[in-house]
Amino acid sequence: MRKSFHALFTFLVLAIVLAGCSSKEEKTNTDNKEQSEELQTVEELKIGLPTDVGPLNIYTGNLDYLTELVYDKLFAPSPYVDKPQPWLAESAEQLDDTTWIVKIRSGIKWHDGEDFTAEDVKFTYEYYRDGPANRHTHHVSEVPQIDVIELEDENTIRFECGYACPSLDTITFADLPILPKHIWENVKNPRKYTDLAVGTGPYKLVAYTADQSYKFEANTDYFMGAPLVQKLNMPIIKDPTAMFNALRSGEIDISARTVPAELQDTFVKSNNMKVAETSALSIVELKLNYDNAPFNIEKFRKAMSLSVDRQSIVDTVLLGQGTAGLKGYPHPDSPWTNPNLSTPFNAKQAQSIFDELKYVDINGDGMRETSEGKELKLSLKVSSSEPVYVRVAEMLKAQFADVGINVEVVTLDAGTMATLFQSRDFELSLGLIGPHGVADPDQFIMSHRATYLWTKGLEYPQMDTLIEKWMAANTIEDRKQISFDMQTLFNNQPTSIALYYPEEKFAYNKDVYDQWVESLGYGIINKYSFLPQEVRDAVAAKPATIVE
């Protein structure tokens, strides 16, 4: 099978962008000029960030929408759409089941003035594959597995996979940020690297102060056109109340923290504000630690899922502004998710399963004990800095009590919560997982091999068989159908219970900037919101949907 993504297409995109810029300079009356002039340039935007992820070292902290401002990938906009388009790549062609040829663009510069070359791509993919792990590295080292990365000439790279890799362009090439070789080849321990990130993207990170702010300046020589906003000033405001007070007072122009349901009307009705709704591609999940009893029992996990009245949580805590997780995991809006998944609420069936497993109320206090008569008391850990999640946790406690499961809610600071995945020091935990986890089909496989949803080597014969079939499949459609079977199996005995799919609603000052677009999985604070109209069109970035 041969597959090609058109060099001509992206050449035309770039040509259109440059033509648009030229048309404005020459003041000719063309369609490109009229379209370009609809977008206004702005000197500065102030964007409130709810968290600090460091100097954008992808090994120690990562917010995709921030990383994307500085770094580019071979394809764009993301792996969350059906057909990403060439970006740093000029084209990609599949020669056979395991071999791809990629040609890169010429004339692109790193932020420090050095030339971007195919050597940078080769170095990056090898560095990810052979060096310390980060959230991107599995796309080279295991799912998929790229064994050979060679330069054919100064602009061409050959990739050879260890097994079939039909979606290398749509997933891997659209996910991995490219690093500058001349900087990173000297970095022996990337987790200790603290210099400001240097990329090829539309913005340069010019200042970072821990727990205080980020400052970006436009890369006016950006190969896809100069950004519309010259400076991005991003104060870090961790407290939700302080964040929205800062927005009201004009201290910031937009909040990267989404607006909670109870505040939405306040901003919708404000004269200078708008609220934009996007497809979040994220899940608020209840994680079960399958390493320990009773969560190592498949039927127990199923009964826990059946015990959760997801719609009641959405109606009560979110005031109806969200979607109950009745289609399970991964996210139903992803093109890679089985549309027929179902995770219903059925307390009677849950009680029957608990009874069958000999978890019964022996002492008559309304709560179940183990078959040995020992108290069954589970802890549910949740971040104290997320008041909505705390309320959800309290509702879960009540719902589990209705089927005889005693759950204690334990609030922890955000820093401690962030370590639970590595430490495994939890029974139940509540939090959010974003697009990479729940909309990237390769990550769903990897999550079963890297401790998140399961651990490689831990007995799970049904899933192992399906993963073997998935790796042997050589077409995207075959892969998709096998993934659907895997998702059905997973949701019948989940280690992550999808509680709800949150709505993302961003409040912003329309008088300062009103040109936001949605990029699926990135909200409206994304690089395309700051790029020319022709580029937005090329990656199908649609105008933000305004809440009335």
Side-chain angles (χ1 to χ4, degrees):
M1 178 185 75
R2 294 176 66 87
K3 182 178 179 182
S4 178
F5 275 93
H6 338 295
L8 178 60
F9 171 84
T10 46
F11 174 80
L12 288 174
V13 170
L14 184 55
I16 290 169
V17 171
L18 296 175
C21 295
S22 174
S23 66
K24 285 194 286 184
E25 291 172 359
E26 297 171 9
K27 300 184 183 299
T28 58
N29 186 21
T30 66
D31 289 341
N32 279 345
K33 176 192 172 186
E34 291 171 0
Q35 190 176 42
S36 296
E37 285 189 337
E38 292 176 2
L39 298 181
Q40 302 299 312
T41 59
V42 174
E43 178 63 24
E44 181 182 43
L45 275 181
K46 299 183 291 274
I47 302 172
L49 297 181
T51 188
D52 179 357
V53 292
L56 302 191
N57 176 350
I58 58 177
Y59 283 86
T60 56
N62 192 54
L63 283 175
D64 282 347
Y65 63 88
L66 288 187
T67 302
E68 284 267 305
L69 295 175
V70 174
Y71 289 108
D72 287 312
K73 301 170 295 192
L74 292 176
F75 274 56
S78 71
Y80 315 135
V81 299
D82 280 323
K83 292 183 178 180
Q85 300 297 332
W87 201 251
L88 286 176
E90 184 178 279
S91 65
E93 183 179 9
Q94 186 175 10
L95 301 184
D96 55 41
D97 286 352
T98 59
T99 307
W100 286 80
I101 296 292
V102 174
K103 291 188 177 296
I104 65 143
R105 294 181 187 274
S106 59
I108 297 173
K109 299 279 189 181
W110 293 101
H111 292 160
D112 60 6
E114 295 288 326
D115 289 334
F116 162 74
T117 70
E119 284 279 4
D120 294 305
V121 178
K122 181 178 188 295
F123 166 80
T124 297
Y125 275 66
E126 290 178 339
Y127 195 78
Y128 287 158
R129 182 189 65 191
D130 303 331
N134 65 42
R135 96 117 174 99
H136 303 279
T137 54
H138 76 83
H139 280 305
V140 183
S141 61
E142 190 165 355
V143 184
Q145 176 186 320
I146 303 179
D147 292 339
V148 176
I149 306 165
E150 294 291 348
L151 295 182
E152 298 278 284
D153 58 45
E154 63 180 8
N155 293 314
T156 308
I157 310 141
R158 185 179 79 258
F159 297 89
E160 294 181 10
C161 302
Y163 57 88
C165 49
S167 60
L168 206 63
D169 53 350
T170 55
I171 307 299
T172 297
F173 294 164
D175 188 61
L176 270 62
I178 304 302
L179 304 173
K181 177 183 177 181
H182 65 279
I183 293 175
W184 283 85
E185 66 182 343
N186 300 314
V187 178
K188 303 308 179 186
N189 187 344
R191 300 194 184 283
K192 292 185 177 180
Y193 185 67
T194 58
D195 288 1
L196 299 182
V198 173
T200 58
Y203 284 92
K204 304 174 183 179
L205 178 60
V206 296
Y208 159 74
T209 304
D211 288 324
Q212 292 187 38
S213 68
Y214 293 82
K215 294 183 186 297
F216 299 85
E217 290 183 359
N219 176 9
T220 54
D221 296 323
Y222 189 51
F223 72 98
M224 279 294 182
L228 302 169
V229 180
Q230 181 61 35
K231 296 178 181 179
L232 301 175
N233 185 0
M234 301 189 184
I236 298 164
I237 308 172
K238 296 182 179 181
D239 179 72
T241 300
M243 175 75 84
F244 294 111
N245 285 340
L247 183 58
R248 289 189 189 94
S249 68
E251 182 182 340
I252 59 175
D253 304 316
I254 184 172
S255 165
R257 179 184 287 277
T258 57
V259 183
E262 61 271 20
L263 294 182
Q264 180 182 313
D265 281 350
T266 302
F267 288 105
V268 169
K269 294 175 181 177
S270 175
N271 290 333
N272 67 330
M273 295 287 175
K274 283 186 179 180
V275 176
E277 180 176 353
T278 67
S279 301
L281 278 190
S282 58
I283 296 176
V284 174
E285 60 174 351
L286 178 67
K287 286 192 60 61
L288 289 62
N289 190 342
Y290 56 82
D291 288 337
N292 302 320
F295 305 115
N296 58 350
I297 302 170
E298 295 171 3
K299 286 186 176 181
F300 191 93
R301 299 197 302 268
K302 178 175 183 175
M304 291 289 285
S305 179
L306 290 165
S307 302
V308 178
D309 185 351
R310 298 159 175 82
Q311 190 61 56
S312 178
I313 291 172
V314 169
D315 293 342
T316 304
V317 178
L318 306 182
L319 306 181
Q321 296 181 17
T323 303
L326 296 171
K327 288 186 173 292
Y329 189 112
H331 200 285
D333 288 348
S334 168
W336 306 100
T337 298
N338 184 345
N340 299 315
L341 295 178
S342 176
T343 51
F345 166 53
N346 191 326
K348 278 192 174 182
Q349 187 180 356
Q351 290 172 320
S352 296
I353 294 173
F354 288 134
D355 290 344
E356 176 189 343
L357 294 173
K358 309 301 182 189
Y359 290 97
V360 296
D361 178 13
I362 296 174
N363 60 12
D365 66 352
M367 296 297 168
R368 298 174 186 271
E369 284 79 40
T370 69
S371 57
E372 295 83 18
K374 295 181 180 179
E375 179 185 34
L376 178 64
K377 188 173 184 179
L378 307 174
S379 71
L380 167 53
K381 295 182 175 179
V382 62
S383 174
S384 58
S385 65
E386 297 291 346
V388 171
Y389 296 171
V390 174
R391 294 199 294 273
V392 171
E394 293 294 346
M395 280 200 71
L396 286 171
K397 175 181 178 178
Q399 291 180 5
F400 287 129
D402 288 343
V403 295
I405 301 296
N406 190 1
V407 171
E408 175 189 18
V409 175
V410 178
T411 58
L412 302 173
D413 65 86
T416 304
M417 284 295 298
T419 67
L420 293 184
F421 172 66
Q422 289 80 17
S423 69
R424 310 293 294 168
D425 182 23
F426 70 96
E427 292 175 312
L428 299 165
S429 70
L430 195 154
L432 180 139
I433 181 169
H436 182 242
V438 297
D440 178 329
D442 289 1
Q443 181 57 44
F444 183 75
I445 307 296
M446 195 63 203
S447 290
H448 280 84
R449 303 165 70 83
T451 313
Y452 196 83
L453 299 178
W454 201 254
T455 300
K456 186 177 180 180
L458 192 63
E459 186 177 358
Y460 199 166
Q462 292 172 281
M463 188 64 76
D464 289 344
T465 297
L466 287 172
I467 289 176
E468 289 175 7
K469 289 183 179 179
W470 184 91
M471 289 182 169
N474 62 2
T475 70
I476 288 178
E477 189 55 38
D478 286 347
R479 283 262 174 99
K480 184 178 285 190
Q481 293 305 314
I482 296 165
S483 292
F484 286 1
D485 292 340
M486 295 168 64
Q487 294 161 16
T488 299
L489 172 63
F490 174 81
N491 283 284
N492 192 49
Q493 50 192 40
T495 57
S496 170
I497 297 173
L499 301 177
Y500 61 89
Y501 315 115
E503 293 179 354
E504 279 190 343
K505 295 182 179 178
F506 297 91
Y508 66 90
N509 189 326
K510 66 181 178 63
D511 294 340
V512 177
Y513 194 73
D514 197 14
Q515 299 173 157
W516 303 98
V517 294
E518 175 183 3
S519 182
L520 190 62
Y522 291 88
I524 63 173
I525 302 171
N526 62 75
K527 67 169 65 172
Y528 309 104
S529 281
F530 310 120
L531 292 178
Q533 184 65 50
E534 296 83 357
V535 180
R536 301 168 180 226
D537 293 342
V539 296
K542 63 181 183 179
T545 301
I546 304 303
V547 178
E548 300 293 342

